[in-house]
Amino acid sequence: TRTGDSKWISCETSRARAHELRGRMDAIVVGGGTVKADDPLLTARPPGPRVATRIVLASEVPENCNLRSTARDTPVLIATPRGKEDRFAGWAADGAEVLPCDSIRDLLLELGHRRCTNVLVEGGAGVLGSFLDARAIDEFHVYVAPKIIGSDTAVSPVGGEGSAMIANAIRLANFSFTPSGDDVYLHGYATP
């Protein structure tokens, strides 16, 4: 909303399905804005077959939050622009890894070296927009709630530069729509 309120847009059924998806991931990515606004844990509840590394793309994040306080229990990686690593010395002391990273491509190359091949980009309009602008998303899981929020100043679900022309928009292939409680679940793949 225009005030930043975001809990809960989707229904319990959709949130449960999202947790199940998290449990199949090698990494989950959000931005610093999501950490500040929502203070998420980014864990699968109940746990799934994999434990995802929780990745925050940011040059600053709150000092006190769930991710930092659980970094020794579940891996946390802070991907921050080169030269900003010192801002996260306290996080590193608390068990988080700090990775200098200047682009989405840099991050994905590093994750590839670490054999993180199932990466869920979960957080915020800015992070989603950055990955879309980099054409670095190949599969989409979208929950649409039957709620109209409105406002010129509300955050869009996806930010970034976006497509200037409809013809350049990312098209989905092999997509499906299914009910998810009160919501609708859209699943599809980006066309090459």
Side-chain angles (χ1 to χ4, degrees):
T1 68
R2 62 182 167 75
T3 64
D5 183 45
S6 62
K7 290 183 182 175
W8 295 104
I9 298 170
S10 58
C11 69
E12 286 186 35
T13 302
S14 296
R15 291 193 301 273
R17 291 176 79 170
H19 278 277
E20 191 237 322
L21 181 62
R22 282 179 178 176
R24 299 190 325 251
M25 295 295 122
D26 298 318
I28 300 169
V29 181
V30 298
T34 294
V35 175
K36 183 179 178 183
D38 297 341
D39 193 16
L41 278 170
L42 300 179
T43 56
R45 298 179 299 276
R50 294 182 179 166
V51 175
T53 297
R54 301 166 301 165
I55 300 173
V56 181
L57 300 179
S59 56
E60 60 182 61
V61 289
E63 287 297 314
N64 298 310
C65 64
N66 285 320
L67 291 175
R68 184 172 175 176
S69 66
T70 60
R72 293 199 190 282
D73 303 321
T74 307
V76 173
L77 186 148
I78 305 289
T80 192
R82 292 180 203 293
K84 310 252 182 192
E85 303 95 328
D86 291 347
R87 294 181 180 186
F88 299 100
W91 280 73
D94 287 341
E97 180 182 357
V98 180
L99 175 72
C101 182
D102 291 323
S103 71
I104 298 300
R105 293 284 177 210
D106 288 347
L107 175 63
L108 292 176
L109 284 170
E110 178 61 29
L111 292 178
H113 291 305
R114 296 172 183 222
R115 297 183 182 208
C116 287
T117 57
N118 296 296
V119 178
L120 178 63
V121 181
E122 189 173 304
V127 169
L128 287 169
S130 295
F131 273 81
L132 281 177
D133 289 346
R135 294 295 201 235
I137 300 178
D138 59 359
E139 184 176 357
F140 292 81
H141 299 268
V142 180
Y143 294 92
V144 180
K147 298 175 184 175
I148 307 298
I149 297 169
S151 177
D152 297 7
T153 58
V155 177
S156 169
V158 180
E161 187 175 316
S163 299
M165 305 292 291
I166 295 294
N168 297 333
I170 295 173
R171 296 185 53 82
L172 297 185
N174 301 324
F175 60 88
S176 62
F177 294 93
T178 56
S180 179
D182 291 338
D183 303 336
V184 173
Y185 169 60
L186 164 65
H187 176 251
Y189 299 88
T191 55

